[in-house]
Amino acid sequence: MARMIALVPAAGSGSRFGAPSPKQYLQLNGKPLMWHALATLAAVPGVVVSPQDEWFDGFDWDLPKLSVRRVGGASRAESVANGLAALACAEDDWVLVHDAARCCLSVAAVERLIAALSGHVVGGLLALPVPDTVKRADADGHVAATVTRNGLWLAQTPQMFRAGVLENALRGVAAEDITDEAAAVERLGLKPLLVEGDAQNFKVTYPRDLALARAILAAREDY
Protein backbone atom coordinates (compact mmCIF):
# COMPACT_ATOMS: atom_id res chain seq x y z
CA MET A 1 0.00 0.00 0.00
CA ALA A 2 1.37 3.41 -0.96
CA ARG A 3 2.47 5.64 1.89
CA MET A 4 1.57 9.31 2.23
CA ILE A 5 4.54 11.43 3.29
CA ALA A 6 4.69 15.15 4.08
CA LEU A 7 8.06 16.66 3.19
CA VAL A 8 8.87 20.17 4.39
CA PRO A 9 12.00 21.76 2.89
CA ALA A 10 13.31 24.11 5.57
CA ALA A 11 16.92 24.76 4.58
CA GLY A 12 16.36 28.34 3.40
CA SER A 13 18.06 31.28 5.08
CA GLY A 14 15.09 33.67 4.79
CA SER A 15 17.32 36.48 3.55
CA ARG A 16 14.39 38.71 2.51
CA PHE A 17 13.02 38.62 6.04
CA GLY A 18 16.13 40.18 7.57
CA ALA A 19 15.95 38.35 10.92
CA PRO A 20 18.99 37.00 12.84
CA SER A 21 17.74 33.42 12.30
CA PRO A 22 15.92 31.82 9.38
CA LYS A 23 12.26 32.88 9.53
CA GLN A 24 11.04 29.32 10.01
CA TYR A 25 12.51 29.46 13.54
CA LEU A 26 11.00 32.79 14.60
CA GLN A 27 8.61 32.61 17.55
CA LEU A 28 4.93 32.67 16.65
CA ASN A 29 2.41 32.24 19.48
CA GLY A 30 5.05 30.57 21.62
CA LYS A 31 6.26 28.10 18.99
CA PRO A 32 8.70 28.25 16.06
CA LEU A 33 6.87 29.44 12.94
CA MET A 34 7.49 26.09 11.23
CA TRP A 35 5.95 24.15 14.13
CA HIS A 36 2.43 25.28 13.20
CA ALA A 37 2.68 23.82 9.68
CA LEU A 38 4.23 20.62 11.03
CA ALA A 39 1.44 20.24 13.58
CA THR A 40 -1.09 20.24 10.75
CA LEU A 41 0.95 17.73 8.78
CA ALA A 42 1.76 15.65 11.85
CA ALA A 43 0.43 12.39 10.36
CA VAL A 44 3.79 11.68 8.68
CA PRO A 45 5.97 14.78 8.37
CA GLY A 46 9.55 14.73 7.18
CA VAL A 47 11.59 17.91 7.61
CA VAL A 48 14.61 18.67 5.41
CA VAL A 49 17.08 21.08 6.99
CA SER A 50 20.54 22.27 6.03
CA PRO A 51 23.53 20.19 7.23
CA GLN A 52 24.82 23.43 8.78
CA ASP A 53 21.53 24.19 10.55
CA GLU A 54 22.23 25.34 14.13
CA TRP A 55 18.67 26.18 15.21
CA PHE A 56 16.50 23.05 14.85
CA ASP A 57 17.83 21.20 17.90
CA GLY A 58 17.24 24.23 20.10
CA PHE A 59 13.47 23.67 20.16
CA ASP A 60 11.19 21.04 21.65
CA TRP A 61 9.07 19.97 18.66
CA ASP A 62 6.96 17.35 20.46
CA LEU A 63 5.26 16.07 17.29
CA PRO A 64 4.45 12.43 16.43
CA LYS A 65 6.37 10.65 13.68
CA LEU A 66 8.55 13.68 12.99
CA SER A 67 11.81 12.80 11.25
CA VAL A 68 14.59 15.24 10.35
CA ARG A 69 16.92 14.84 7.36
CA ARG A 70 19.96 17.13 7.34
CA VAL A 71 20.32 17.01 3.58
CA GLY A 72 19.15 20.46 2.54
CA GLY A 73 20.70 21.77 -0.67
CA ALA A 74 21.47 25.11 -2.28
CA SER A 75 17.97 25.35 -3.79
CA ARG A 76 14.44 24.22 -3.02
CA ALA A 77 14.60 21.66 -5.83
CA GLU A 78 17.82 20.20 -4.46
CA SER A 79 16.46 20.05 -0.91
CA VAL A 80 13.31 18.23 -2.03
CA ALA A 81 15.28 15.81 -4.24
CA ASN A 82 17.70 15.08 -1.39
CA GLY A 83 14.79 14.60 0.99
CA LEU A 84 13.11 12.10 -1.31
CA ALA A 85 16.35 10.12 -1.56
CA ALA A 86 16.87 10.17 2.21
CA LEU A 87 13.32 8.99 2.88
CA ALA A 88 13.75 6.06 0.47
CA CYS A 89 10.31 6.59 -1.02
CA ALA A 90 8.70 3.96 -3.21
CA GLU A 91 7.72 5.23 -6.67
CA ASP A 92 4.00 5.11 -5.90
CA ASP A 93 4.23 6.80 -2.49
CA TRP A 94 2.41 10.12 -2.34
CA VAL A 95 4.59 13.05 -1.24
CA LEU A 96 3.09 16.33 -0.03
CA VAL A 97 5.73 19.07 -0.25
CA HIS A 98 4.90 22.05 1.94
CA ASP A 99 6.56 25.43 2.53
CA ALA A 100 7.83 25.78 6.11
CA ALA A 101 6.77 29.44 6.03
CA ARG A 102 3.08 28.62 5.32
CA CYS A 103 2.30 28.28 9.00
CA CYS A 104 -1.48 28.80 8.76
CA LEU A 105 -2.23 25.67 6.73
CA SER A 106 -5.51 24.09 7.82
CA VAL A 107 -6.37 20.42 8.24
CA ALA A 108 -9.42 20.98 6.03
CA ALA A 109 -7.26 22.19 3.14
CA VAL A 110 -4.97 19.17 3.40
CA GLU A 111 -7.95 16.81 3.50
CA ARG A 112 -9.47 18.55 0.47
CA LEU A 113 -6.24 18.14 -1.48
CA ILE A 114 -5.89 14.46 -0.62
CA ALA A 115 -9.52 13.72 -1.47
CA ALA A 116 -9.28 15.48 -4.85
CA LEU A 117 -6.09 13.65 -5.84
CA SER A 118 -6.79 10.17 -4.51
CA GLY A 119 -7.52 8.81 -7.98
CA HIS A 120 -5.62 11.35 -10.08
CA VAL A 121 -2.91 10.09 -12.43
CA VAL A 122 -0.58 13.09 -12.00
CA GLY A 123 -1.14 14.89 -8.70
CA GLY A 124 -1.69 18.54 -8.01
CA LEU A 125 -1.52 21.47 -5.65
CA LEU A 126 -3.51 23.84 -3.52
CA ALA A 127 -4.03 27.18 -5.28
CA LEU A 128 -6.31 30.21 -5.33
CA PRO A 129 -7.96 31.85 -8.34
CA VAL A 130 -6.50 35.36 -8.76
CA PRO A 131 -9.14 37.73 -7.27
CA ASP A 132 -7.64 41.09 -8.25
CA THR A 133 -6.94 42.96 -11.47
CA VAL A 134 -3.42 42.11 -12.66
CA LYS A 135 -1.02 44.70 -14.06
CA ARG A 136 2.21 44.04 -15.94
CA ALA A 137 4.90 46.66 -15.25
CA ASP A 138 7.57 48.02 -17.55
CA ALA A 139 11.23 48.51 -16.56
CA ASP A 140 10.45 51.90 -15.01
CA GLY A 141 7.61 50.69 -12.81
CA HIS A 142 4.77 52.02 -14.95
CA VAL A 143 1.81 49.95 -16.12
CA ALA A 144 2.66 48.29 -19.42
CA ALA A 145 -0.54 46.25 -19.70
CA THR A 146 -3.57 44.96 -17.84
CA VAL A 147 -3.60 41.17 -17.85
CA THR A 148 -6.86 39.23 -17.82
CA ARG A 149 -7.13 37.20 -14.64
CA ASN A 150 -9.30 34.53 -16.25
CA GLY A 151 -7.65 31.19 -15.71
CA LEU A 152 -4.89 32.60 -13.45
CA TRP A 153 -4.23 30.93 -10.10
CA LEU A 154 -1.85 31.65 -7.22
CA ALA A 155 0.09 28.49 -6.35
CA GLN A 156 0.19 27.37 -2.72
CA THR A 157 1.42 24.27 -0.93
CA PRO A 158 1.18 21.41 -0.17
CA GLN A 159 1.88 20.16 -3.67
CA MET A 160 1.15 16.44 -3.89
CA PHE A 161 2.74 14.02 -6.37
CA ARG A 162 3.86 10.41 -6.59
CA ALA A 163 7.46 10.12 -5.44
CA GLY A 164 8.58 8.55 -8.73
CA VAL A 165 7.07 11.39 -10.77
CA LEU A 166 8.60 14.01 -8.48
CA GLU A 167 12.05 12.43 -8.52
CA ASN A 168 11.98 12.28 -12.30
CA ALA A 169 10.77 15.87 -12.56
CA LEU A 170 13.47 17.22 -10.26
CA ARG A 171 16.33 15.33 -11.85
CA GLY A 172 18.83 17.79 -13.31
CA VAL A 173 16.65 20.85 -12.66
CA ALA A 174 18.65 24.04 -12.24
CA ALA A 175 17.91 26.10 -9.13
CA GLU A 176 16.83 29.18 -11.02
CA ASP A 177 14.51 27.30 -13.36
CA ILE A 178 11.63 26.42 -11.04
CA THR A 179 9.97 27.91 -7.98
CA ASP A 180 7.72 24.97 -7.09
CA GLU A 181 7.34 21.24 -7.66
CA ALA A 182 4.37 21.64 -10.01
CA ALA A 183 6.53 23.61 -12.45
CA ALA A 184 9.02 20.74 -12.56
CA VAL A 185 6.23 18.21 -13.14
CA GLU A 186 4.81 20.39 -15.93
CA ARG A 187 8.15 20.07 -17.74
CA LEU A 188 7.44 16.38 -18.13
CA GLY A 189 4.37 17.31 -20.19
CA LEU A 190 2.01 16.49 -17.32
CA LYS A 191 -0.86 18.64 -16.04
CA PRO A 192 -1.19 18.90 -12.24
CA LEU A 193 -4.69 19.43 -10.87
CA LEU A 194 -5.50 22.79 -9.23
CA VAL A 195 -7.36 22.27 -5.94
CA GLU A 196 -8.79 25.39 -4.32
CA GLY A 197 -6.99 26.32 -1.13
CA ASP A 198 -7.74 29.28 1.10
CA ALA A 199 -6.35 32.79 1.61
CA GLN A 200 -5.16 32.01 5.14
CA ASN A 201 -2.58 29.60 3.73
CA PHE A 202 -0.24 32.43 2.81
CA LYS A 203 3.55 32.43 2.92
CA VAL A 204 5.22 34.48 5.64
CA THR A 205 7.77 36.51 3.69
CA TYR A 206 8.23 39.85 5.47
CA PRO A 207 8.15 40.88 9.18
CA ARG A 208 4.74 42.53 8.74
CA ASP A 209 3.29 39.11 7.81
CA LEU A 210 3.80 37.80 11.36
CA ALA A 211 0.97 39.93 12.78
CA LEU A 212 -1.54 38.40 10.36
CA ALA A 213 -0.27 34.88 11.04
CA ARG A 214 -0.61 35.45 14.80
CA ALA A 215 -4.17 36.67 14.38
CA ILE A 216 -5.19 33.69 12.23
CA LEU A 217 -3.70 31.14 14.62
CA ALA A 218 -5.13 32.90 17.68
CA ALA A 219 -8.60 32.91 16.12
CA ARG A 220 -8.40 29.16 15.56
CA GLU A 221 -7.41 28.56 19.18
CA ASP A 222 -10.25 30.76 20.43
CA TYR A 223 -12.74 28.91 18.24
Side-chain angles (χ1 to χ4, degrees), residues 162-179:
R162 297 286 188 182
V165 171
L166 200 49
E167 287 173 345
N168 189 27
L170 294 172
R171 192 171 294 121
V173 169
E176 66 276 8
D177 284 351
I178 67 160
T179 54

Side-chain angles (χ1 to χ4, degrees), residues 11-215:
S13 62
S15 57
R16 286 182 293 176
F17 200 92
S21 70
K23 63 186 175 185
Q24 59 265 31
Y25 295 114
L26 295 176
Q27 288 290 299
L28 183 62
N29 293 9
K31 298 285 188 181
L33 186 148
M34 179 170 56
W35 182 92
H36 299 280
L38 294 177
T40 301
L41 295 167
V44 198
V47 182
V48 178
V49 299
S50 166
Q52 292 79 38
D53 187 294
E54 57 188 70
W55 293 277
F56 190 91
D57 292 333
F59 298 97
D60 180 11
W61 296 94
D62 190 28
L63 291 170
K65 299 182 181 179
L66 175 66
S67 63
V68 181
R69 299 292 187 267
R70 295 181 178 273
V71 294
S75 68
R76 177 193 179 94
E78 187 177 339
S79 292
V80 174
N82 291 350
L84 290 172
L87 291 168
C89 298
E91 284 198 359
D92 64 342
D93 285 342
W94 283 109
V95 179
L96 290 83
V97 183
H98 184 63
D99 296 329
R102 292 186 187 272
C103 54
C104 297
L105 175 68
S106 69
V107 172
V110 177
E111 290 177 342
R112 189 161 60 249
L113 179 71
I114 292 171
L117 298 177
S118 61
H120 201 267
V121 296
V122 176
L125 64 151
L126 290 178
L128 281 179
V130 172
D132 301 314
T133 299
V134 179
K135 304 291 186 181
R136 179 179 290 115
D138 62 18
D140 298 318
H142 298 105
V143 174
T146 299
V147 181
T148 177
R149 63 178 180 241
N150 294 338
L152 294 181
W153 291 63
L154 300 172
Q156 298 184 335
T157 65
Q159 302 195 358
M160 178 175 162
F161 299 100
R162 297 286 188 182
V165 171
L166 200 49
E167 287 173 345
N168 189 27
L170 294 172
R171 192 171 294 121
V173 169
E176 66 276 8
D177 284 351
I178 67 160
T179 54
D180 68 354
E181 291 67 46
V185 171
E186 290 161 38
R187 288 188 167 199
L188 299 178
L190 302 174
K191 293 185 177 182
L193 180 67
L194 293 162
V195 179
E196 188 159 353
D198 62 67
Q200 293 186 352
N201 185 27
F202 72 101
K203 187 175 182 180
V204 173
T205 305
Y206 302 105
R208 61 180 178 268
D209 297 334
L210 286 175
L212 177 57
R214 287 192 185 98

